[in-house]
């Protein structure tokens, strides 16, 4: 299920759909529309952005070999 959420966020972010929905940022969209806390939103946004830059991360999350926390905190040099 988490991969579906991350894929959704990736598309919303890529197309800036949150603006069309009345939100100025992806974070505000997640909190205001999806009901996540700011901390939960930050974690998912960071993991999604890492996943976009490092495709292998998607597979590791999907297979349960990497947590959102680990993905979100990969060193900046890998982003």
């Amino acid at each position: 299920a988490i991969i579906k959420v991350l894929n959704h966020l990736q598309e919303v972010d890529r197309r800036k759909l949150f603006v069309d929905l009345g939100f100025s940022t992806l974070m505000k969209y997640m909190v205001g529309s999806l009901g996540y806390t700011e901390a939960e939103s930050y974690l998912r946004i960071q993991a999604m952005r890492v996943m976009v830059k490092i495709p292998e991360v998607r597979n590791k999350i999907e297979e349960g070999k990497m947590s959102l926390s680990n993905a979100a905190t990969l060193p900046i040099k890998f982003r």
Side-chain angles (χ1 to χ4, degrees):
I2 192 60
I3 288 296
K4 287 183 180 184
V5 171
L6 296 179
N7 287 337
H8 171 75
L9 294 178
Q10 180 181 352
E11 189 65 16
V12 169
D13 190 44
R14 185 182 70 79
R15 295 173 51 193
K16 304 298 183 222
L17 297 175
F18 54 86
V19 174
D20 294 339
L21 298 170
F23 298 96
S24 59
T25 66
L26 183 58
M27 171 83 73
K28 289 180 180 178
Y29 162 72
M30 290 184 68
V31 172
S33 183
L34 301 181
Y36 287 101
T37 66
E38 287 187 10
E40 292 167 333
S41 299
Y42 178 81
L43 184 68
R44 283 155 181 78
I45 290 168
Q46 293 302 89
M48 176 269 296
R49 290 187 175 150
V50 168
M51 186 179 79
V52 168
K53 292 187 179 199
I54 309 171
E56 301 84 35
V57 170
R58 176 188 309 271
N59 294 336
K60 289 186 183 283
I61 293 171
E62 202 166 33
E63 294 167 359
K65 295 180 179 178
M66 181 177 286
S67 68
L68 283 179
S69 298
N70 287 340
T73 59
L74 283 174
I76 198 75
K77 68 180 180 179
F78 292 113
R79 293 184 185 194

